[in-house]
Amino acid sequence: MSMLDTGNNVGGVDKDHGKMAEAEAMYRRALEGYEKAWGPEHMSMLDTVNNLGVLYKDQGKMAEAEAMYRRALEGQGEGVGAGAHVDAGHGPQPGEALRESRQDGRSGSHVSTGVGRV
């Protein structure tokens, strides 16, 4: 799966250089590959799902960002139940972004802050 990981990483580099369309394409390509390899609910793709959420948030696409954050949260819950390891040391989790958006006075359909990698 290292090629898929590389695609995810290239997406991050593109995002860091302001190439948002290229970053989205790389993240989507990696996510599609993960889904084909492991199925749509596998824990290994949560980094990419979360990264898409951050990208969408940075572009002001709050509905899309929230959808990705929620997907990452759902995947975490399923993975933890299956005995998978979730490393909290990678920064804030998707749920924190949703909580912070509500503290900013926005409705639950908007996400105001990004999160680190899952």
Side-chain angles (χ1 to χ4, degrees):
M1 293 305 123
S2 63
M3 290 298 291
L4 299 176
D5 293 338
T6 300
N8 181 52
N9 294 338
V10 169
V13 171
D14 285 341
K15 178 185 172 292
D16 290 345
H17 286 99
K19 299 177 181 179
M20 301 306 192
E22 292 91 339
E24 182 177 0
M26 291 305 296
Y27 287 147
R28 289 246 169 239
R29 185 174 168 187
L31 185 58
E32 183 179 305
Y34 288 132
E35 288 173 339
K36 285 181 181 178
W38 295 317
E41 303 302 326
H42 197 276
M43 288 285 293
S44 297
M45 73 177 77
L46 294 183
D47 272 348
T48 304
V49 171
N50 187 65
N51 290 343
L52 271 167
V54 173
L55 177 74
Y56 289 143
K57 188 271 308 174
D58 288 349
Q59 293 177 311
K61 298 178 179 179
M62 299 308 179
E64 292 91 339
E66 182 174 1
M68 291 293 110
Y69 291 147
R70 287 190 184 281
R71 181 174 174 184
L73 279 171
E74 290 169 9
Q76 278 183 346
E78 291 171 12
V80 170
H85 175 72
V86 176
D87 185 357
H90 283 97
Q93 300 298 304
E96 291 179 37
L98 294 174
R99 277 192 298 281
E100 288 174 11
S101 72
R102 290 182 181 97
Q103 289 173 354
D104 288 343
R106 298 179 186 217
S107 72
S109 64
H110 297 284
V111 177
S112 63
T113 61
V115 298
R117 296 181 190 271
V118 176

